[in-house]
Structure formats: C-alpha cells, structure tokens
C-alpha cells in the first residue's frame, strides 16, 4: 500500500491498528480524583481572583465618582456662563459648508 500523506497534517496517516493502544481506556493511568481536586482548587482560586477584581473595580468606580463630584464643585457658575457665551459667539460666526 502506498504511503498516504495528509494534506494539512503533512505526515503519514497512521493505521487504525497503530492507534488502538493509545485509546484503550484500560491502559490509561489517570487518577480522576486527583484531577477533580486540582480542578476544584483551581476554580476556587479563580473565584477568589474574580472577587478581588470586582472589589477593586467597585473601589475605582467610587473614587471616580468622588473625583467627578469634586471637579463639579470646583467649577464656578461664572466660569460656566463665560464658557457658554464664548460657544455662542463662535457659533454665531460659524458657517456650515456641506452637502
């Protein structure tokens, strides 16, 4: 039989007989209880990190709201009125050129 080569893989395609030993569940030496414990431990660590990130995000949102509140209190109404007046003046001098 000619050596058959897979076009994507680039290697020769193994016969089914060669692969049987690899998939035999009786030959597998996997301790599922240890894998489960590791998965549970990893999941708990991920939950802990997620909780920490959520707490940090909440603290950042609180700090941002506090800064925005302080920035709003710092601006005086006279400055806002002057800014509005300059915008109106610029708008009155503007000409729209478009389709």
């Amino acid at each position: 039989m000619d050596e058959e080569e897979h076009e994507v893989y680039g290697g020769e395609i193994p016969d089914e007989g060669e692969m049987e030993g690899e998939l035999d569940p009786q030959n597998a030496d996997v301790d599922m209880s240890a894998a489960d414990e590791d998965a549970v431990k990893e999941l708990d660590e991920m939950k802990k990190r997620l909780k920490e990130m959520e707490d940090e995000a909440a603290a950042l949102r609180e700090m941002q709201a506090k800064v925005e509140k302080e920035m709003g209190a710092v601006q005086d109404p006279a400055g806002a009125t002057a800014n509005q007046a300059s915008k109106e003046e610029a708008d009155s001098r503007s000409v729209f050129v478009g389709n």
Side-chain angles (χ1 to χ4, degrees):
M1 180 171 160
D2 293 336
E3 292 294 322
E4 190 177 343
E5 189 171 296
H6 191 271
E7 61 186 59
V8 175
Y9 175 65
E12 67 179 64
I13 300 173
D15 294 335
E16 285 187 35
E18 295 174 6
M19 295 176 28
E20 283 180 15
E22 297 171 9
L23 300 177
D24 189 9
Q26 295 164 344
N27 291 337
D29 293 331
V30 177
D31 185 10
M32 293 305 289
S33 62
D36 288 344
E37 286 180 21
D38 290 342
V40 169
K41 189 181 294 186
E42 185 176 340
L43 183 61
D44 288 341
E45 290 174 4
M46 292 168 93
K47 286 179 181 179
K48 182 180 174 185
R49 286 193 303 257
L50 178 63
K51 176 72 172 142
E52 289 172 357
M53 288 189 288
E54 288 174 344
D55 292 344
E56 186 174 346
L60 289 172
R61 281 192 296 272
E62 185 178 315
M63 288 171 52
Q64 183 177 2
K66 183 178 177 182
V67 168
E68 287 175 355
K69 183 178 177 183
E70 289 175 0
M71 293 297 290
V74 170
Q75 292 180 347
D76 60 322
T81 305
N83 192 13
Q84 181 66 24
S86 67
K87 284 183 181 179
E88 289 177 5
E89 181 186 346
D91 286 343
S92 67
R93 291 183 281 132
S94 299
V95 177
F96 177 75
V97 177
N99 295 344

